[in-house]
Amino acid sequence: LSDMGNYIFRTMTSDQLTAQALADYMLQRLKQRQVVIFFNSASEYSQSLKSEFKNALLYKSRLEPLAEFDLARPDFDAYESVN
């Protein structure tokens, strides 16, 4: 990349496109109809992706998550959340 010039620009897809791709993968490739969401409320990116993923699931298949777990909560217990 150093031969490309003095400036290199990197672009990212929107959270909406990422969430739609994730929902498509879950529904079409994995054939899953149930989902639990783990997110970090201290992260704007995590909150945004969670919101867009929920929207994509509702739009594509009228699905809602079975549960949501906030990794940033002081009382979060990983063991309890998966059992």
Side-chain angles (χ1 to χ4, degrees):
L1 289 176
S2 60
D3 296 332
M4 300 294 291
N6 293 333
Y7 302 98
I8 298 173
F9 298 94
R10 179 177 163 208
T11 60
M12 301 278 298
T13 61
S14 71
D15 292 344
Q16 183 181 27
L17 289 176
T18 302
Q20 288 175 358
L22 184 59
D24 286 340
Y25 184 81
M26 182 193 114
L27 296 167
Q28 296 171 9
R29 179 87 181 236
L30 300 177
K31 307 285 188 218
Q32 294 298 309
R33 304 290 298 169
Q34 297 179 332
V35 65
V36 173
I37 297 176
F38 289 81
F39 71 102
N40 181 347
S41 64
S43 164
E44 287 183 32
Y45 170 70
S46 184
Q47 289 182 50
S48 175
L49 187 57
K50 176 189 77 137
S51 176
E52 292 297 339
F53 182 60
K54 286 173 62 175
N55 289 340
L57 287 175
L58 281 171
Y59 177 75
K60 291 174 181 294
S61 61
R62 298 180 190 241
L63 290 178
E64 291 193 34
L66 297 175
E68 296 178 20
F69 295 99
D70 183 356
L71 303 171
R73 286 182 54 142
D75 63 342
F76 172 74
D77 185 325
Y79 181 80
E80 284 185 21
S81 65
V82 295
N83 289 314

